[in-house]
Amino acid sequence: MKPIQFTDDTFDAEVLKSDKPVLVDFWATWCGPCRQIAPIVEELAVELEGKVKIGKLDVDDNQQTAIKYGVRSIPTILIFKDGELKDSIVGAVPKTSIVQRLNAVN
């Protein structure tokens, strides 16, 4: 399973109305550190399938959502549960850090 591609148009339905926790990777094609964590996000999408919804949002194509959540530097990972922002991680961090923060929300 690949990460879901979220957009400004699908964000409410896919993220805020999700019945599962959602991890959103805010990224852009030109961002080096974003490319570093991309494989981690893809691994998590496979490992947590059915438990956590994992997706990516390209900030260049979807600026409204990035602005709404104050995403100023990328990569930024936001974790939502029950329609609410529960945690944020800024920068390229190890997989273990992301998993710990996800587990704390679940």
Side-chain angles (χ1 to χ4, degrees), residues 8-60:
D8 286 343
D9 294 334
T10 64
F11 197 83
D12 280 3
E14 290 277 3
V15 177
L16 301 182
K17 294 186 170 97
S18 174
D19 58 352
K20 297 181 193 83
V22 186
L23 179 148
V24 184
D25 173 19
F26 287 78
W27 72 288
T29 52
W30 49 263
C31 166
C34 297
R35 286 194 293 274
Q36 288 178 320
I37 68 162
I40 295 170
V41 173
E42 290 181 12
E43 286 172 23
L44 290 172
V46 172
E47 292 169 14
L48 300 174
E49 184 177 358
K51 297 182 195 126
V52 179
K53 192 183 278 191
I54 308 283
K56 299 166 75 72
L57 186 131
D58 185 326
V59 296
D60 287 338

Side-chain angles (χ1 to χ4, degrees), residues 1 6 10-11 32 45 49 67 72 75 96:
M1 171 131 188
F6 298 127
T10 64
F11 197 83
E49 184 177 358
I67 291 166
R72 290 189 175 78
T96 52

Side-chain angles (χ1 to χ4, degrees), residues 11 15-16 20-24 26 69 78-87 105:
F11 197 83
V15 177
L16 301 182
K20 297 181 193 83
V22 186
L23 179 148
V24 184
F26 287 78
Y69 290 99
L78 299 183
I79 301 170
F80 293 83
K81 185 173 183 186
D82 300 325
E84 293 180 17
L85 176 61
K86 297 293 187 180
D87 202 353
V105 169

